[in-house]
Amino acid sequence: MAALRIYVGLLWLAYGTSKFEPNWVGGKLEFLQAVRSCLPATAQPFRGFLEQVVIPNQALFGTLIAFGETLVGVALVFGFVAKVGAAGGMFLSLNYFFATGGYASRFGLMTLELLLFVVCLFLLATPSNQAFALDVLIGRQLNRRVAVRTDRP
């Protein structure tokens, strides 16, 4: 479980950190181009959201995506609030799935977004944060401190 969590975390981390460059929201406006290229395949009401909210605020949404993907990656790789990271990965991948219109062909079975959603759901539903995870180390430290405090009269 830990290996899958770390691998998927590395994918999210690579996706997120690759967006911290000037052409993503500035310069060549790669984010805006990506959103516009998705519009023909996107169904309502998600298409309206992209056209009316995302495109006018493309710099904000591009930055939020870069930070969101990076934070999901960090959470999963290090196992620090890994369940929150898995839920964030589900949210991001589901949004990408609807934005790209991947559901229109073969029920979305050929899309990376759906695969990432399912893997993040699996990580959320299983004890994937029990090994090689900061959550475990922090929990042990807190339990030791609580045990020491309760042992004192």
Side-chain angles (χ1 to χ4, degrees):
M1 292 293 175
L4 180 63
R5 186 196 79 231
I6 292 167
Y7 179 75
V8 171
L10 289 171
L11 284 175
W12 281 112
L13 193 58
Y15 291 151
T17 56
S18 71
K19 292 175 175 74
F20 286 107
E21 52 94 16
N23 289 327
W24 177 245
V25 292
K28 294 181 181 176
L29 299 173
E30 291 173 354
F31 173 69
L32 184 59
Q33 291 172 0
V35 171
R36 285 188 176 150
S37 70
C38 291
L39 285 178
T42 306
Q44 293 293 352
F46 206 81
R47 181 184 175 124
F49 173 73
L50 292 176
E51 291 173 332
Q52 314 252 328
V53 178
V54 174
I55 289 177
N57 301 297
Q58 65 91 22
L60 173 65
F61 278 91
T63 303
L64 288 174
I65 287 171
F67 277 105
E69 290 177 356
T70 302
L71 291 175
V72 166
V74 167
L76 293 176
V77 167
F78 294 108
F80 182 67
V81 293
K83 298 296 184 181
V84 174
M90 289 172 55
F91 174 77
L92 289 170
S93 58
L94 196 61
N95 276 292
Y96 303 157
F97 180 71
F98 286 122
T100 59
Y103 52 86
S105 67
R106 299 185 188 181
F107 303 107
L109 296 177
M110 303 299 289
T111 65
L112 177 63
E113 292 84 12
L114 185 60
L115 178 64
L116 284 172
F117 176 83
V118 170
V119 171
C120 286
L121 176 64
F122 180 75
L123 293 174
L124 184 66
T126 60
S128 60
N129 63 338
Q130 298 301 311
F132 303 108
L134 288 176
D135 286 344
V136 172
L137 296 174
I138 292 169
R140 287 180 189 159
Q141 287 296 98
L142 290 175
N143 287 339
R144 285 183 191 145
R145 288 183 183 171
V146 168
V148 169
R149 289 184 190 158
T150 57
D151 290 343
R152 294 181 185 171

